[in-house]
Amino acid sequence: MLKIPFRVIIPNTDETLTSAIDLEQIPELIAREKVTAVIHSLPAGQEIPWILGADTVIFFNGKILGKPENQEQAVEYLTALQGNTHTVITSIVLYNGRTKDISSRICKTNVTFAPMSKEEIQWYVETGEWHGAAGGYRIQSLASCFVQKIDGSYSCVVGLPIFELYDILKEQGYSILE
């Protein structure tokens, strides 16, 4: 959308959640680990202009709903979320290769799902969109028909908060005007 050239590198990181830190700090910790893993995976001496990492978690009733491990867990997550409001937190971490600085931003958004029938939940889960999605849904696709209200940033829920991304890039001297 911002016409920023990029290359996707999927880091080999462990996204296992730890209870040793505040739950709201987990997405930033995981995003930092992703950035660090990419830095270490590149050939020695390679110039790195920028590395961006992001992580999204869903908070509901004091717990984190991560990426469902299977269809049953996806049904469990969506059953809990339907008719309720949950919080989505996405953290982005940017490494500036020129200055060797790391900056981060956190974005929080509340999402309210309309009540859903068991049949609607089953239909959605059978689409397979829950694979690899925090909370078991993708707001940018079919799950959007169940979202009653968003209080905050839509792009935060998608997994890359655009305002925060642009803000962090400006802070680090990157201009989309060039």
Side-chain angles (χ1 to χ4, degrees):
M1 184 169 72
L2 296 177
K3 308 266 190 272
I4 298 171
F6 66 93
R7 183 178 79 163
V8 175
I9 300 173
I10 300 173
N12 185 16
T13 57
D14 179 12
E15 292 189 31
T16 306
L17 304 174
T18 176
S19 60
I21 63 170
D22 179 38
L23 291 179
E24 292 192 10
Q25 294 176 335
I26 289 174
E28 183 176 353
L29 174 68
I30 293 173
R32 281 182 186 273
E33 288 175 0
K34 290 176 180 179
V35 167
T36 302
V38 169
I39 291 169
H40 293 303
S41 73
L42 297 174
Q46 180 175 346
E47 188 174 310
I48 305 167
W50 308 95
I51 297 175
L52 179 70
D55 193 67
T56 302
V57 295
I58 307 290
F59 289 95
F60 181 67
N61 284 345
K63 291 189 255 182
I64 291 179
L65 302 184
K67 297 172 184 172
E69 295 178 13
N70 52 45
Q71 247 185 336
E72 293 75 28
Q73 192 169 45
V75 168
E76 177 187 324
Y77 285 2
L78 292 169
T79 300
L81 295 176
Q82 65 85 26
N84 291 301
T85 299
H86 60 279
T87 301
V88 178
I89 298 180
T90 297
S91 179
I92 59 172
V93 173
L94 181 73
Y95 172 77
N96 182 332
R98 279 187 326 239
T99 64
K100 310 296 188 246
D101 287 331
I102 293 180
S103 298
S104 64
R105 296 286 186 284
I106 294 176
C107 183
K108 294 182 186 182
T109 298
N110 290 324
V111 177
T112 303
F113 268 78
M116 300 163 64
S117 68
K118 287 181 182 180
E119 293 79 18
E120 287 171 319
I121 292 170
Q122 193 60 45
W123 167 82
Y124 181 75
V125 169
E126 287 175 6
T127 70
E129 283 188 359
W130 61 270
H131 287 281
Y137 73 92
R138 296 185 191 283
I139 196 169
Q140 69 272 30
S141 295
L142 295 171
S144 63
C145 68
F146 303 116
V147 175
Q148 187 173 10
K149 180 181 170 186
I150 298 174
D151 183 17
S153 166
Y154 172 80
S155 61
C156 169
V157 184
V158 172
L160 186 61
I162 300 301
F163 171 80
E164 286 76 8
L165 173 60
Y166 184 56
D167 189 51
I168 203 171
L169 286 169
K170 284 193 315 185
E171 175 191 271
Q172 291 298 315
Y174 184 92
S175 174
I176 62 170
L177 305 175
E178 296 171 4

